Amino acid sequence: MSGVTPFPSPRTPDSRDEGPSPAPPESLIYDWNQAETIPRPPQPFELIDETLRDGIQSPSATNPCLEDKLELIELIQAIGVDAVNLGMPCSSPRALADVVAMSRHIQARRLTITPAVAARTVLGDVEKVIDAVQQGGMPLRLYVFIGASSLRQWAEGWSLDFLANASASTIGFAVREGLDVAFVTEDTSRASPEILDRLFRTALGQGARHLVLCDTVGHATPAGARALVRWTRQLIASTGTPGKVEWHGHNDRGLSLENALAALSAGADRIQACGLGVGERVGNTAMDVLLLNLKLLGWYAHDLSRLADYTRKVSEALRIPIPFNHPLSGEDAFRTGTGVHASALIKALGRGGDRLADHLYSSVPAREFGREQRIEVGFMSGLSNVRFWLESRGLPSDETLCQEVLCWAKERDRLPREEEILQQVEAHRRRRQPPG
C-alpha cells in the first residue's frame, strides 16, 4: 500500500472557507466538447456484458470459479447492464453446468438481467443450449455465430451458399425450439454488402430478430461503424421484418470505445462489451470505460457508484491485473504526488469541498463512480503534500517533521509506501524524545 490520503480528511484551516458557497464546479468549466457534440442515440439502447464469454477467451484470463461468476452477475446487474452472456454450453461439461447454475441463480435472486449464451451454427451446439434451458428452467437468448468475410471463406474453403444454408438450418431449428435468436456474423466490418445482404436476409427470414455486427479484428473506424450500422438498419427496414442491430467491437487499433459510441449514434440497439476490455488479443470494448463515458455524456441514468467494485471483481475473477493507468479503475487514476497539483487540490477542498476537488485535476468525478481523489508524498511533492498526509492521519505536522519527511522523500526514486513514511515519523519522534 503506497502512502496515500483519500478525501475526505481533516481540512486545512483557511480564511477563504468563510463566506457563501461557491458555484457548482461544473459552472466553472468551459466545455469545448459542446462545440461539436456526438449525436445522441436516436433510439433507446441496451448493453450486454460479454466478460464470461468473450472476455475469458483472452489467452491471459482464468476461467472463473462458479462463485466468482455469480458475484460478477450480481455486480453486472448493480451497474444497470441489461444482459449477460453466460458462455458457450457446448464447449465443455463444466461450461454447461455453469450456465445452468447461473440461470438458476438469476431466478432464485429474482434478478432482472437477461441471460444469453453463444453457439456456432452447428445443430449440436444448439442442442446443448436447449439442454441448458431445460435444466436451468429459464429462457436464454442464443447468439449463433458464423464467419462472414471473404477472407474467412477463403481460409476455410467455404462458399456463400454453404454459409447461408448452415445459418438457415441452425437458426430455423433454434427458433422452432422456442429460442430467441441473435445472428452473429464474425468479421462483419470486413465483409462485403453482397455477403451481408444474403446472410442477413436469410437469418431474418428464419426468425432471427437480432443482427450482431462484429468488428472481430478491430478493423473499423468510427466512420466505418456508423456506415455499417446505418446500412444494416436500412436492410432490415427493406425486409419489413422486425429486427434490431447490435455492435460487438474489438480494440486492435485502440478505437473500440469511439466505435461503440459511433454505433450507438448511428442507431445500434445494443452494445456488447467486457469488463476491463478483456478478450481475444488486445481485447474488446471495455464495459467500465463505456459506462463511464455514457454517464458523462448524459446517455445513461443508472447509478454507477459500484462500477469500481465491478472492475475489481473482473480483475480478481479472471486474474487479469488492472493497468495502473486504466481509466477510472487504475491505481493512478485519481492520485497525485506532485506538489503543485496537491496544493491546488487541498485549496479546492478548503474552498468548495469534495465536489470542487473532484473536478480540479480530473474530468471524471471520482465519487460518482466509487473512487476517491488521493494525495501521495514523493520525489515531486511539496510541503503541502506532507502536511496534508500527516494531518489526515491525526499525526503531528510541525515544520521540522514536514521538512524532514519531504527531504527524505525527494531522495527516493519511487513513491514510498505508507508504512515507510510512518517509519520516518516514528524515527523523528524518537530523536525528539528527551534522553533518559
Side-chain angles (χ1 to χ4, degrees):
M1 178 72 177
S2 55
V4 297
T5 300
F7 294 132
S9 55
R11 297 184 180 181
T12 303
D14 192 324
S15 61
R16 290 170 295 185
D17 282 354
E18 299 176 1
S21 299
E26 294 85 355
S27 69
L28 304 175
I29 298 170
Y30 187 87
D31 192 359
W32 282 94
N33 294 334
Q34 298 302 315
E36 187 174 333
T37 60
I38 302 173
R40 190 181 184 94
Q43 74 297 325
F45 63 86
E46 296 182 345
L47 303 172
I48 179 170
D49 193 291
E50 287 271 317
T51 307
L52 296 177
R53 201 277 304 173
D54 204 355
I56 63 175
Q57 290 180 203
S58 165
S60 297
T62 295
N63 187 7
C65 66
L66 178 60
E67 182 180 358
D68 281 340
K69 289 180 178 180
L70 298 180
E71 188 173 344
L72 261 177
I73 290 172
E74 296 274 356
L75 286 167
I76 291 168
Q77 162 121 354
I79 57 177
V81 173
D82 305 277
V84 58
N85 196 318
L86 305 180
M88 293 183 63
C90 62
S91 61
S92 70
R94 178 194 164 184
L96 173 58
D98 281 1
V99 168
V100 171
M102 287 184 279
S103 297
R104 291 173 176 170
H105 178 83
I106 289 170
Q107 291 180 91
R109 295 279 293 163
R110 297 184 178 180
L111 303 182
T112 58
I113 198 163
T114 301
V117 292
R120 298 168 297 176
T121 47
V122 176
L123 295 180
D125 284 15
V126 178
E127 289 170 348
K128 291 295 184 183
V129 173
I130 295 169
D131 290 343
V133 170
Q134 292 173 344
Q135 294 176 39
M138 75 175 305
L140 297 169
R141 176 173 294 173
L142 169 61
Y143 284 81
V144 60
F145 61 88
I146 197 167
S149 66
S150 296
L151 266 174
R152 183 68 183 279
Q153 290 181 48
W154 183 83
E156 300 279 1
W158 294 337
S159 67
L160 183 54
D161 284 342
F162 168 80
L163 297 180
N165 291 336
S167 300
S169 62
T170 306
I171 295 170
F173 171 66
V175 170
R176 289 192 297 274
E177 292 295 324
L179 296 173
D180 177 17
V181 178
F183 181 54
V184 183
T185 45
E186 290 185 339
D187 211 11
T188 324
S189 58
R190 299 193 297 177
S192 70
E194 293 75 20
I195 292 172
L196 298 178
D197 186 283
R198 173 83 180 275
L199 295 179
F200 288 170
R201 290 181 188 276
T202 297
L204 292 169
Q206 291 295 325
R209 291 296 174 258
H210 312 266
L211 300 179
V212 184
L213 312 180
C214 292
D215 187 26
T216 304
V217 298
H219 166 78
T221 64
R226 284 191 293 269
L228 182 53
V229 170
R230 287 169 180 159
W231 181 89
T232 305
R233 288 185 66 89
Q234 290 170 1
L235 181 143
I236 294 172
S238 73
T239 67
T241 303
K244 293 191 174 183
V245 178
E246 298 192 25
W247 177 263
H248 176 96
H250 281 254
N251 201 38
D252 298 67
R253 294 174 65 173
L255 294 173
S256 63
L257 172 62
E258 292 89 338
N259 289 341
L261 296 177
L264 281 176
S265 293
D269 299 288
R270 177 178 277 186
I271 300 295
Q272 302 185 0
C274 296
L276 297 174
V278 295
E280 293 275 5
R281 302 178 313 281
V282 301
N284 296 261
T285 305
M287 178 64 82
D288 45 307
V289 183
L290 176 62
L291 284 171
L292 166 66
N293 281 276
L294 292 176
K295 187 72 169 181
L296 295 178
L297 285 166
W299 298 358
Y300 195 76
H302 200 279
D303 171 56
L304 289 178
S305 58
R306 299 206 65 191
L307 188 54
D309 294 336
Y310 161 79
T311 53
R312 283 191 287 266
K313 188 60 191 181
V314 170
S315 174
E316 174 192 327
L318 275 63
R319 298 183 187 174
I320 296 285
I322 301 175
F324 71 90
N325 60 344
H326 189 75
L328 181 66
S329 299
E331 185 179 3
D332 286 356
F334 300 105
R335 68 176 187 163
T336 182
T338 304
V340 173
H341 291 192
S343 177
L345 284 171
I346 293 167
K347 291 173 184 175
L349 187 64
R351 297 195 70 180
D354 303 327
R355 290 190 69 241
L356 181 60
D358 235 3
H359 284 78
L360 191 64
Y361 271 105
S362 177
S363 64
V364 178
R367 290 179 174 277
E368 188 172 343
F369 299 95
R371 295 296 308 273
E372 313 174 298
Q373 301 289 341
R374 305 181 79 91
I375 289 177
E376 296 204 20
V377 174
F379 51 84
M380 294 288 288
S381 295
L383 277 173
S384 57
N385 297 60
V386 181
R387 187 173 296 111
F388 190 88
W389 195 96
L390 294 170
E391 289 178 358
S392 68
R393 288 161 173 77
L395 297 170
S397 59
D398 59 84
E399 187 72 14
T400 302
L401 172 59
C402 289
Q403 289 285 0
E404 281 188 16
V405 172
L406 181 62
C407 289
W408 167 79
K410 284 185 175 293
E411 293 174 356
R412 302 172 62 84
D413 57 5
R414 62 171 178 80
L415 296 181
R417 297 186 300 274
E418 179 167 356
E419 57 267 27
E420 292 175 316
I421 300 176
L422 292 175
Q423 288 171 3
Q424 294 300 311
V425 174
E426 176 62 17
H428 171 84
R429 185 190 67 79
R430 290 176 179 175
R431 286 193 299 270
R432 297 290 295 272
Q433 280 184 334

